[in-house]
Amino acid sequence: MGEKTLFEAYKQTDYQLQGHGKRNLDVLKGALVDVDADVESDIYGSGKIIEDFQNKMAAYLGKESAVFFPSGTMAQQIALRIWCDQKDLHRVAYHPLCHLEIHEEDGLKKLHGIEPILLSDKERVIGLEDVVGLETDIACLLLELPQREIGGQLPNYETLEAISEYCRDKGIKLHLDGARLYEILPHYGKPAEEVCTLFDSVYISFYKGIGGIAGAILAGSEEFTKESKVWKRRHGGDLISLYPYILSADHYFDQRINKMDQYYEGAKELAGLFNACQGVSTLPEKPVSNMFHVFFHYPQKEIETILMDVYDETGIGLTGYVKEVTENECAYEVSVGDQYKNVSKQELSKLFVVLDQKLKRLIEK
């Protein structure tokens, strides 16, 4: 038997602070408890169960129409393809750390022949100056709110409005990667409908802040979503039945959509506790959603040992991993959800006292 890993130590704690809890079969069972067994399944993208949910999401986002997809990867590639075909210009722009660029094995290029233009540098969000400074024509600009890979940073709302206005003036379609749209609404102080008016098309996810099994919505005009259904069929996205995804998405949407303020306040509190520790910082320093990145300015192996000691002493788990950033720095991503409230303020305070003490001893060695 090898040494216990940080992930194993995290799973063995009494309380884990991350997200909504374990992704096990209880997620599906919980969504089905109150569902009538006689409810008819959707079939190849049609039927009451899928159409009602699509209409519900279209209304929430303030769009004419919406289509349920099994994955956001499929939905977003299709959205960009539609906009490129419409202009007969197969070029789009997005952030260098956009999901399509770093997590999709060049799907946009290989499947659709679309050339991406990378805007801004990796350390900051896209600004108006980046869009105005484009030296080549594009069919569509994709904005990810928040920008996950840099800690969930956001442009200010005035910048969003200015980018939207510029794109409309120039005939550039604006697409929202809103995988974490719900989580940024408390910071902006805006309803989803108002934010989405700035965009021609919108994608949202149901397994991140919502905590469903999987699935996504792509929303826009009737003409746009009609075309997206054709591409969904081409991509094999019309499974004979999607109801397990739809029912879990609907259930956890209703259960958690009004808790986003709670998660946001928890993230700000948690970031403050981390930033008060020796040799720890967060990005952003003050979170703008329920997520942020924690940086330990120490080697990965030493932090893993310290965290496991903290878990043993307090019974509370912060994370199951830290990844190496440099030889003397490591980091992990925080996502605050239902789990956070299960730990009392007193227990949380003790956890960070213990963590800070162990970090200070590390410096003294």
Side-chain angles (χ1 to χ4, degrees), residues 217-259:
I217 278 284
L218 185 61
S221 67
E222 290 279 2
E223 180 184 3
F224 171 81
T225 55
K226 182 179 179 180
E227 182 68 13
S228 78
K229 288 180 179 180
V230 175
W231 277 106
K232 180 184 175 188
R233 179 63 58 93
R234 289 169 176 160
H235 271 249
D238 273 334
L239 310 187
I240 186 170
S241 298
L242 287 166
Y243 69 86
Y245 306 124
I246 297 165
L247 290 172
S248 73
D250 198 14
H251 174 80
Y252 291 110
F253 179 87
D254 288 346
Q255 186 179 101
R256 293 180 174 133
I257 194 61
N258 293 320
K259 295 182 180 179

mmCIF file of all heavy atoms in Angstrom, residues 217-259:
data_model
loop_
_atom_site.group_PDB
_atom_site.id
_atom_site.type_symbol
_atom_site.label_atom_id
_atom_site.label_comp_id
_atom_site.label_asym_id
_atom_site.label_seq_id
_atom_site.Cartn_x
_atom_site.Cartn_y
_atom_site.Cartn_z
ATOM 1 N N ILE A 217 -28.128 24.488 -22.365
ATOM 2 C CA ILE A 217 -29.131 25.179 -23.164
ATOM 3 C C ILE A 217 -28.417 26.151 -24.092
ATOM 4 O O ILE A 217 -27.463 26.827 -23.689
ATOM 5 C CB ILE A 217 -30.136 25.943 -22.275
ATOM 6 C CG1 ILE A 217 -31.220 25.026 -21.738
ATOM 7 C CG2 ILE A 217 -30.767 27.135 -23.013
ATOM 8 C CD1 ILE A 217 -32.315 24.629 -22.724
ATOM 9 N N LEU A 218 -28.871 26.196 -25.334
ATOM 10 C CA LEU A 218 -28.433 27.209 -26.286
ATOM 11 C C LEU A 218 -29.654 28.030 -26.651
ATOM 12 O O LEU A 218 -30.676 27.471 -27.076
ATOM 13 C CB LEU A 218 -27.832 26.545 -27.526
ATOM 14 C CG LEU A 218 -27.211 27.475 -28.571
ATOM 15 C CD1 LEU A 218 -26.056 28.276 -27.978
ATOM 16 C CD2 LEU A 218 -26.745 26.677 -29.785
ATOM 17 N N ALA A 219 -29.566 29.340 -26.468
ATOM 18 C CA ALA A 219 -30.737 30.196 -26.653
ATOM 19 C C ALA A 219 -30.440 31.355 -27.595
ATOM 20 O O ALA A 219 -29.300 31.834 -27.685
ATOM 21 C CB ALA A 219 -31.206 30.731 -25.303
ATOM 22 N N GLY A 220 -31.476 31.807 -28.266
ATOM 23 C CA GLY A 220 -31.361 32.938 -29.184
ATOM 24 C C GLY A 220 -32.673 33.175 -29.891
ATOM 25 O O GLY A 220 -33.754 32.876 -29.348
ATOM 26 N N SER A 221 -32.607 33.653 -31.103
ATOM 27 C CA SER A 221 -33.825 33.896 -31.878
ATOM 28 C C SER A 221 -34.411 32.575 -32.365
ATOM 29 O O SER A 221 -33.746 31.540 -32.366
ATOM 30 C CB SER A 221 -33.506 34.782 -33.085
ATOM 31 O OG SER A 221 -32.681 34.071 -34.003
ATOM 32 N N GLU A 222 -35.656 32.615 -32.811
ATOM 33 C CA GLU A 222 -36.305 31.426 -33.361
ATOM 34 C C GLU A 222 -35.519 30.889 -34.564
ATOM 35 O O GLU A 222 -35.326 29.679 -34.704
ATOM 36 C CB GLU A 222 -37.741 31.760 -33.791
ATOM 37 C CG GLU A 222 -38.696 32.036 -32.647
ATOM 38 C CD GLU A 222 -39.232 30.759 -32.003
ATOM 39 O OE1 GLU A 222 -38.821 29.665 -32.449
ATOM 40 O OE2 GLU A 222 -40.038 30.862 -31.070
ATOM 41 N N GLU A 223 -35.085 31.791 -35.420
ATOM 42 C CA GLU A 223 -34.328 31.383 -36.606
ATOM 43 C C GLU A 223 -33.029 30.693 -36.200
ATOM 44 O O GLU A 223 -32.658 29.648 -36.764
ATOM 45 C CB GLU A 223 -34.018 32.610 -37.464
ATOM 46 C CG GLU A 223 -33.231 32.296 -38.726
ATOM 47 C CD GLU A 223 -32.854 33.552 -39.497
ATOM 48 O OE1 GLU A 223 -33.159 34.668 -39.031
ATOM 49 O OE2 GLU A 223 -32.233 33.403 -40.580
ATOM 50 N N PHE A 224 -32.343 31.255 -35.213
ATOM 51 C CA PHE A 224 -31.071 30.692 -34.753
ATOM 52 C C PHE A 224 -31.257 29.306 -34.147
ATOM 53 O O PHE A 224 -30.524 28.363 -34.472
ATOM 54 C CB PHE A 224 -30.450 31.640 -33.721
ATOM 55 C CG PHE A 224 -29.248 31.083 -33.008
ATOM 56 C CD1 PHE A 224 -27.992 31.104 -33.604
ATOM 57 C CD2 PHE A 224 -29.365 30.534 -31.732
ATOM 58 C CE1 PHE A 224 -26.889 30.585 -32.945
ATOM 59 C CE2 PHE A 224 -28.271 30.015 -31.073
ATOM 60 C CZ PHE A 224 -27.019 30.041 -31.687
ATOM 61 N N THR A 225 -32.239 29.152 -33.272
ATOM 62 C CA THR A 225 -32.408 27.858 -32.611
ATOM 63 C C THR A 225 -32.952 26.795 -33.571
ATOM 64 O O THR A 225 -32.648 25.607 -33.418
ATOM 65 C CB THR A 225 -33.331 27.972 -31.376
ATOM 66 O OG1 THR A 225 -34.582 28.546 -31.763
ATOM 67 C CG2 THR A 225 -32.686 28.820 -30.301
ATOM 68 N N LYS A 226 -33.721 27.218 -34.561
ATOM 69 C CA LYS A 226 -34.188 26.259 -35.583
ATOM 70 C C LYS A 226 -32.984 25.666 -36.305
ATOM 71 O O LYS A 226 -32.911 24.449 -36.537
ATOM 72 C CB LYS A 226 -35.130 26.957 -36.567
ATOM 73 C CG LYS A 226 -35.691 26.026 -37.634
ATOM 74 C CD LYS A 226 -36.644 26.783 -38.571
ATOM 75 C CE LYS A 226 -37.181 25.851 -39.646
ATOM 76 N NZ LYS A 226 -38.108 26.571 -40.577
ATOM 77 N N GLU A 227 -32.039 26.514 -36.656
ATOM 78 C CA GLU A 227 -30.825 26.043 -37.317
ATOM 79 C C GLU A 227 -29.981 25.185 -36.375
ATOM 80 O O GLU A 227 -29.370 24.195 -36.787
ATOM 81 C CB GLU A 227 -30.008 27.236 -37.826
ATOM 82 C CG GLU A 227 -28.738 26.876 -38.573
ATOM 83 C CD GLU A 227 -28.983 26.205 -39.912
ATOM 84 O OE1 GLU A 227 -30.135 26.230 -40.399
ATOM 85 O OE2 GLU A 227 -28.022 25.639 -40.479
ATOM 86 N N SER A 228 -29.971 25.556 -35.093
ATOM 87 C CA SER A 228 -29.170 24.788 -34.129
ATOM 88 C C SER A 228 -29.704 23.360 -33.967
ATOM 89 O O SER A 228 -28.940 22.425 -33.710
ATOM 90 C CB SER A 228 -29.131 25.494 -32.766
ATOM 91 O OG SER A 228 -30.327 25.308 -32.032
ATOM 92 N N LYS A 229 -31.007 23.184 -34.125
ATOM 93 C CA LYS A 229 -31.580 21.836 -34.035
ATOM 94 C C LYS A 229 -31.110 20.949 -35.189
ATOM 95 O O LYS A 229 -30.891 19.745 -35.009
ATOM 96 C CB LYS A 229 -33.107 21.911 -34.022
ATOM 97 C CG LYS A 229 -33.683 22.456 -32.733
ATOM 98 C CD LYS A 229 -35.209 22.496 -32.789
ATOM 99 C CE LYS A 229 -35.793 23.021 -31.492
ATOM 100 N NZ LYS A 229 -37.271 23.070 -31.523
ATOM 101 N N VAL A 230 -30.933 21.546 -36.343
ATOM 102 C CA VAL A 230 -30.414 20.794 -37.495
ATOM 103 C C VAL A 230 -28.993 20.331 -37.198
ATOM 104 O O VAL A 230 -28.634 19.166 -37.412
ATOM 105 C CB VAL A 230 -30.447 21.655 -38.772
ATOM 106 C CG1 VAL A 230 -29.799 20.905 -39.933
ATOM 107 C CG2 VAL A 230 -31.879 22.051 -39.116
ATOM 108 N N TRP A 231 -28.179 21.230 -36.679
ATOM 109 C CA TRP A 231 -26.797 20.890 -36.348
ATOM 110 C C TRP A 231 -26.718 19.916 -35.175
ATOM 111 O O TRP A 231 -25.837 19.053 -35.131
ATOM 112 C CB TRP A 231 -25.999 22.159 -36.044
ATOM 113 C CG TRP A 231 -25.502 22.823 -37.288
ATOM 114 C CD1 TRP A 231 -25.986 23.964 -37.850
ATOM 115 C CD2 TRP A 231 -24.440 22.370 -38.122
ATOM 116 N NE1 TRP A 231 -25.290 24.261 -38.996
ATOM 117 C CE2 TRP A 231 -24.332 23.298 -39.178
ATOM 118 C CE3 TRP A 231 -23.575 21.285 -38.089
ATOM 119 C CZ2 TRP A 231 -23.380 23.160 -40.188
ATOM 120 C CZ3 TRP A 231 -22.625 21.146 -39.080
ATOM 121 C CH2 TRP A 231 -22.536 22.076 -40.123
ATOM 122 N N LYS A 232 -27.632 20.031 -34.259
ATOM 123 C CA LYS A 232 -27.687 19.085 -33.145
ATOM 124 C C LYS A 232 -27.910 17.659 -33.669
ATOM 125 O O LYS A 232 -27.267 16.704 -33.216
ATOM 126 C CB LYS A 232 -28.814 19.485 -32.184
ATOM 127 C CG LYS A 232 -28.985 18.587 -30.972
ATOM 128 C CD LYS A 232 -30.203 19.044 -30.168
ATOM 129 C CE LYS A 232 -30.493 18.123 -29.011
ATOM 130 N NZ LYS A 232 -31.774 18.462 -28.342
ATOM 131 N N ARG A 233 -28.801 17.511 -34.635
ATOM 132 C CA ARG A 233 -29.049 16.210 -35.240
ATOM 133 C C ARG A 233 -27.793 15.725 -35.969
ATOM 134 O O ARG A 233 -27.413 14.553 -35.873
ATOM 135 C CB ARG A 233 -30.249 16.305 -36.192
ATOM 136 C CG ARG A 233 -30.603 15.014 -36.924
ATOM 137 C CD ARG A 233 -31.024 13.894 -35.976
ATOM 138 N NE ARG A 233 -32.161 14.244 -35.161
ATOM 139 C CZ ARG A 233 -33.432 13.988 -35.470
ATOM 140 N NH1 ARG A 233 -33.720 13.390 -36.608
ATOM 141 N NH2 ARG A 233 -34.397 14.305 -34.630
ATOM 142 N N ARG A 234 -27.127 16.618 -36.673
ATOM 143 C CA ARG A 234 -25.902 16.245 -37.394
ATOM 144 C C ARG A 234 -24.802 15.776 -36.445
ATOM 145 O O ARG A 234 -24.002 14.904 -36.783
ATOM 146 C CB ARG A 234 -25.400 17.437 -38.210
ATOM 147 C CG ARG A 234 -26.260 17.778 -39.416
ATOM 148 C CD ARG A 234 -25.860 19.123 -40.000
ATOM 149 N NE ARG A 234 -26.612 19.429 -41.217
ATOM 150 C CZ ARG A 234 -26.756 20.651 -41.724
ATOM 151 N NH1 ARG A 234 -26.184 21.698 -41.109
ATOM 152 N NH2 ARG A 234 -27.450 20.844 -42.823
ATOM 153 N N HIS A 235 -24.774 16.379 -35.271
ATOM 154 C CA HIS A 235 -23.750 16.023 -34.278
ATOM 155 C C HIS A 235 -24.111 14.782 -33.461
ATOM 156 O O HIS A 235 -23.318 14.354 -32.630
ATOM 157 C CB HIS A 235 -23.543 17.202 -33.311
ATOM 158 C CG HIS A 235 -22.515 18.184 -33.755
ATOM 159 N ND1 HIS A 235 -21.305 18.335 -33.125
ATOM 160 C CD2 HIS A 235 -22.506 19.063 -34.784
ATOM 161 C CE1 HIS A 235 -20.600 19.280 -33.728
ATOM 162 N NE2 HIS A 235 -21.311 19.740 -34.748
ATOM 163 N N GLY A 236 -25.290 14.222 -33.687
ATOM 164 C CA GLY A 236 -25.714 13.074 -32.892
ATOM 165 C C GLY A 236 -26.200 13.460 -31.507
ATOM 166 O O GLY A 236 -26.219 12.630 -30.598
ATOM 167 N N GLY A 237 -26.620 14.717 -31.365
ATOM 168 C CA GLY A 237 -27.064 15.194 -30.060
ATOM 169 C C GLY A 237 -28.506 14.870 -29.724
ATOM 170 O O GLY A 237 -28.922 15.034 -28.567
ATOM 171 N N ASP A 238 -29.276 14.427 -30.711
ATOM 172 C CA ASP A 238 -30.664 14.033 -30.456
ATOM 173 C C ASP A 238 -30.703 12.570 -30.019
ATOM 174 O O ASP A 238 -31.088 11.676 -30.785
ATOM 175 C CB ASP A 238 -31.527 14.231 -31.717
ATOM 176 C CG ASP A 238 -32.083 15.634 -31.819
ATOM 177 O OD1 ASP A 238 -32.234 16.281 -30.767
ATOM 178 O OD2 ASP A 238 -32.354 16.074 -32.947
ATOM 179 N N LEU A 239 -30.290 12.320 -28.777
ATOM 180 C CA LEU A 239 -30.417 10.967 -28.243
ATOM 181 C C LEU A 239 -31.901 10.607 -28.200
ATOM 182 O O LEU A 239 -32.760 11.483 -28.119
ATOM 183 C CB LEU A 239 -29.828 10.888 -26.840
ATOM 184 C CG LEU A 239 -28.412 11.444 -26.636
ATOM 185 C CD1 LEU A 239 -27.917 11.121 -25.236
ATOM 186 C CD2 LEU A 239 -27.450 10.912 -27.679
ATOM 187 N N ILE A 240 -32.200 9.330 -28.208
ATOM 188 C CA ILE A 240 -33.615 8.952 -28.204
ATOM 189 C C ILE A 240 -34.329 9.535 -27.003
ATOM 190 O O ILE A 240 -35.495 9.919 -27.073
ATOM 191 C CB ILE A 240 -33.798 7.421 -28.262
ATOM 192 C CG1 ILE A 240 -35.288 7.100 -28.416
ATOM 193 C CG2 ILE A 240 -33.172 6.729 -27.066
ATOM 194 C CD1 ILE A 240 -35.583 5.647 -28.713
ATOM 195 N N SER A 241 -33.610 9.652 -25.856
ATOM 196 C CA SER A 241 -34.180 10.280 -24.659
ATOM 197 C C SER A 241 -33.095 11.031 -23.899
ATOM 198 O O SER A 241 -32.000 10.504 -23.689
ATOM 199 C CB SER A 241 -34.784 9.233 -23.725
ATOM 200 O OG SER A 241 -35.848 8.542 -24.353
ATOM 201 N N LEU A 242 -33.414 12.256 -23.499
ATOM 202 C CA LEU A 242 -32.504 13.068 -22.690
ATOM 203 C C LEU A 242 -33.102 13.372 -21.315
ATOM 204 O O LEU A 242 -32.550 14.165 -20.564
ATOM 205 C CB LEU A 242 -32.202 14.389 -23.421
ATOM 206 C CG LEU A 242 -31.278 14.291 -24.637
ATOM 207 C CD1 LEU A 242 -31.333 15.580 -25.456
ATOM 208 C CD2 LEU A 242 -29.845 14.007 -24.218
ATOM 209 N N TYR A 243 -34.210 12.727 -20.992
ATOM 210 C CA TYR A 243 -34.949 13.128 -19.795
ATOM 211 C C TYR A 243 -34.181 13.026 -18.478
ATOM 212 O O TYR A 243 -34.425 13.839 -17.574
ATOM 213 C CB TYR A 243 -36.293 12.390 -19.703
ATOM 214 C CG TYR A 243 -36.219 10.911 -19.432
ATOM 215 C CD1 TYR A 243 -36.142 10.432 -18.129
ATOM 216 C CD2 TYR A 243 -36.243 9.991 -20.473
ATOM 217 C CE1 TYR A 243 -36.077 9.079 -17.872
ATOM 218 C CE2 TYR A 243 -36.178 8.632 -20.213
ATOM 219 C CZ TYR A 243 -36.089 8.178 -18.913
ATOM 220 O OH TYR A 243 -36.016 6.836 -18.649
ATOM 221 N N PRO A 244 -33.238 12.061 -18.290
ATOM 222 C CA PRO A 244 -32.508 12.087 -17.009
ATOM 223 C C PRO A 244 -31.740 13.398 -16.810
ATOM 224 O O PRO A 244 -31.677 13.931 -15.703
ATOM 225 C CB PRO A 244 -31.556 10.892 -17.117
ATOM 226 C CG PRO A 244 -32.191 9.980 -18.106
ATOM 227 C CD PRO A 244 -32.836 10.900 -19.112
ATOM 228 N N TYR A 245 -31.174 13.924 -17.914
ATOM 229 C CA TYR A 245 -30.462 15.194 -17.850
ATOM 230 C C TYR A 245 -31.428 16.360 -17.640
ATOM 231 O O TYR A 245 -31.176 17.272 -16.857
ATOM 232 C CB TYR A 245 -29.672 15.420 -19.138
ATOM 233 C CG TYR A 245 -28.732 14.302 -19.503
ATOM 234 C CD1 TYR A 245 -28.826 13.677 -20.746
ATOM 235 C CD2 TYR A 245 -27.749 13.861 -18.619
ATOM 236 C CE1 TYR A 245 -27.968 12.649 -21.098
ATOM 237 C CE2 TYR A 245 -26.883 12.838 -18.963
ATOM 238 C CZ TYR A 245 -26.997 12.228 -20.202
ATOM 239 O OH TYR A 245 -26.152 11.212 -20.544
ATOM 240 N N ILE A 246 -32.542 16.307 -18.362
ATOM 241 C CA ILE A 246 -33.513 17.406 -18.285
ATOM 242 C C ILE A 246 -34.151 17.479 -16.898
ATOM 243 O O ILE A 246 -34.260 18.559 -16.299
ATOM 244 C CB ILE A 246 -34.605 17.238 -19.361
ATOM 245 C CG1 ILE A 246 -33.984 17.324 -20.758
ATOM 246 C CG2 ILE A 246 -35.702 18.292 -19.203
ATOM 247 C CD1 ILE A 246 -34.892 16.826 -21.873
ATOM 248 N N LEU A 247 -34.581 16.344 -16.380
ATOM 249 C CA LEU A 247 -35.228 16.325 -15.064
ATOM 250 C C LEU A 247 -34.280 16.776 -13.961
ATOM 251 O O LEU A 247 -34.670 17.518 -13.053
ATOM 252 C CB LEU A 247 -35.763 14.931 -14.759
ATOM 253 C CG LEU A 247 -36.967 14.482 -15.596
ATOM 254 C CD1 LEU A 247 -37.285 13.016 -15.333
ATOM 255 C CD2 LEU A 247 -38.191 15.350 -15.297
ATOM 256 N N SER A 248 -33.017 16.344 -14.032
ATOM 257 C CA SER A 248 -32.060 16.775 -13.005
ATOM 258 C C SER A 248 -31.742 18.256 -13.166
ATOM 259 O O SER A 248 -31.606 18.980 -12.175
ATOM 260 C CB SER A 248 -30.786 15.934 -13.053
ATOM 261 O OG SER A 248 -29.976 16.243 -14.155
ATOM 262 N N ALA A 249 -31.631 18.727 -14.410
ATOM 263 C CA ALA A 249 -31.379 20.150 -14.648
ATOM 264 C C ALA A 249 -32.512 21.004 -14.089
ATOM 265 O O ALA A 249 -32.285 22.006 -13.397
ATOM 266 C CB ALA A 249 -31.208 20.404 -16.146
ATOM 267 N N ASP A 250 -33.741 20.604 -14.367
ATOM 268 C CA ASP A 250 -34.912 21.348 -13.909
ATOM 269 C C ASP A 250 -35.015 21.336 -12.382
ATOM 270 O O ASP A 250 -35.244 22.369 -11.740
ATOM 271 C CB ASP A 250 -36.165 20.735 -14.533
ATOM 272 C CG ASP A 250 -37.359 21.672 -14.484
ATOM 273 O OD1 ASP A 250 -37.167 22.878 -14.210
ATOM 274 O OD2 ASP A 250 -38.480 21.197 -14.716
ATOM 275 N N HIS A 251 -34.813 20.166 -11.798
ATOM 276 C CA HIS A 251 -34.915 20.010 -10.345
ATOM 277 C C HIS A 251 -33.899 20.876 -9.613
ATOM 278 O O HIS A 251 -34.254 21.628 -8.694
ATOM 279 C CB HIS A 251 -34.707 18.544 -9.978
ATOM 280 C CG HIS A 251 -34.653 18.275 -8.514
ATOM 281 N ND1 HIS A 251 -35.785 18.174 -7.727
ATOM 282 C CD2 HIS A 251 -33.595 18.097 -7.667
ATOM 283 C CE1 HIS A 251 -35.434 17.948 -6.476
ATOM 284 N NE2 HIS A 251 -34.117 17.891 -6.414
ATOM 285 N N TYR A 252 -32.633 20.784 -10.017
ATOM 286 C CA TYR A 252 -31.596 21.511 -9.289
ATOM 287 C C TYR A 252 -31.555 22.999 -9.663
ATOM 288 O O TYR A 252 -31.108 23.827 -8.860
ATOM 289 C CB TYR A 252 -30.237 20.837 -9.500
ATOM 290 C CG TYR A 252 -30.195 19.486 -8.811
ATOM 291 C CD1 TYR A 252 -30.184 18.303 -9.546
ATOM 292 C CD2 TYR A 252 -30.236 19.398 -7.421
ATOM 293 C CE1 TYR A 252 -30.190 17.063 -8.920
ATOM 294 C CE2 TYR A 252 -30.252 18.161 -6.788
ATOM 295 C CZ TYR A 252 -30.227 16.999 -7.538
ATOM 296 O OH TYR A 252 -30.254 15.775 -6.896
ATOM 297 N N PHE A 253 -32.064 23.332 -10.841
ATOM 298 C CA PHE A 253 -32.221 24.751 -11.179
ATOM 299 C C PHE A 253 -33.183 25.402 -10.186
ATOM 300 O O PHE A 253 -32.881 26.448 -9.592
ATOM 301 C CB PHE A 253 -32.741 24.905 -12.609
ATOM 302 C CG PHE A 253 -32.962 26.333 -13.032
ATOM 303 C CD1 PHE A 253 -31.928 27.067 -13.577
ATOM 304 C CD2 PHE A 253 -34.202 26.942 -12.880
ATOM 305 C CE1 PHE A 253 -32.110 28.394 -13.963
ATOM 306 C CE2 PHE A 253 -34.405 28.256 -13.266
ATOM 307 C CZ PHE A 253 -33.356 28.991 -13.809
ATOM 308 N N ASP A 254 -34.338 24.780 -10.004
ATOM 309 C CA ASP A 254 -35.328 25.334 -9.059
ATOM 310 C C ASP A 254 -34.788 25.348 -7.632
ATOM 311 O O ASP A 254 -35.087 26.258 -6.855
ATOM 312 C CB ASP A 254 -36.617 24.510 -9.110
ATOM 313 C CG ASP A 254 -37.413 24.741 -10.388
ATOM 314 O OD1 ASP A 254 -37.117 25.717 -11.103
ATOM 315 O OD2 ASP A 254 -38.319 23.936 -10.674
ATOM 316 N N GLN A 255 -34.005 24.341 -7.285
ATOM 317 C CA GLN A 255 -33.500 24.211 -5.917
ATOM 318 C C GLN A 255 -32.406 25.231 -5.607
ATOM 319 O O GLN A 255 -32.300 25.697 -4.463
ATOM 320 C CB GLN A 255 -32.963 22.792 -5.711
ATOM 321 C CG GLN A 255 -32.538 22.475 -4.287
ATOM 322 C CD GLN A 255 -32.040 21.050 -4.147
ATOM 323 O OE1 GLN A 255 -30.840 20.781 -4.116
ATOM 324 N NE2 GLN A 255 -32.967 20.105 -4.096
ATOM 325 N N ARG A 256 -31.610 25.618 -6.620
ATOM 326 C CA ARG A 256 -30.393 26.404 -6.323
ATOM 327 C C ARG A 256 -30.326 27.781 -6.966
ATOM 328 O O ARG A 256 -29.470 28.582 -6.579
ATOM 329 C CB ARG A 256 -29.164 25.581 -6.742
ATOM 330 C CG ARG A 256 -28.991 24.345 -5.868
ATOM 331 C CD ARG A 256 -27.790 23.523 -6.248
ATOM 332 N NE ARG A 256 -27.624 22.444 -5.266
ATOM 333 C CZ ARG A 256 -27.395 21.169 -5.568
ATOM 334 N NH1 ARG A 256 -27.280 20.807 -6.843
ATOM 335 N NH2 ARG A 256 -27.257 20.276 -4.617
ATOM 336 N N ILE A 257 -31.199 28.086 -7.914
ATOM 337 C CA ILE A 257 -31.053 29.356 -8.628
ATOM 338 C C ILE A 257 -31.176 30.559 -7.696
ATOM 339 O O ILE A 257 -30.556 31.598 -7.930
ATOM 340 C CB ILE A 257 -32.077 29.447 -9.790
ATOM 341 C CG1 ILE A 257 -31.703 30.587 -10.739
ATOM 342 C CG2 ILE A 257 -33.501 29.600 -9.267
ATOM 343 C CD1 ILE A 257 -30.360 30.437 -11.406
ATOM 344 N N ASN A 258 -31.934 30.417 -6.614
ATOM 345 C CA ASN A 258 -32.090 31.544 -5.681
ATOM 346 C C ASN A 258 -31.076 31.523 -4.544
ATOM 347 O O ASN A 258 -31.180 32.309 -3.593
ATOM 348 C CB ASN A 258 -33.508 31.543 -5.107
ATOM 349 C CG ASN A 258 -34.551 31.850 -6.164
ATOM 350 O OD1 ASN A 258 -34.339 32.718 -7.016
ATOM 351 N ND2 ASN A 258 -35.667 31.144 -6.133
ATOM 352 N N LYS A 259 -30.069 30.638 -4.648
ATOM 353 C CA LYS A 259 -29.017 30.578 -3.633
ATOM 354 C C LYS A 259 -27.706 31.202 -4.120
ATOM 355 O O LYS A 259 -26.706 31.158 -3.402
ATOM 356 C CB LYS A 259 -28.745 29.120 -3.238
ATOM 357 C CG LYS A 259 -29.899 28.420 -2.541
ATOM 358 C CD LYS A 259 -29.486 27.007 -2.155
ATOM 359 C CE LYS A 259 -30.603 26.258 -1.462
ATOM 360 N NZ LYS A 259 -30.168 24.862 -1.121
#
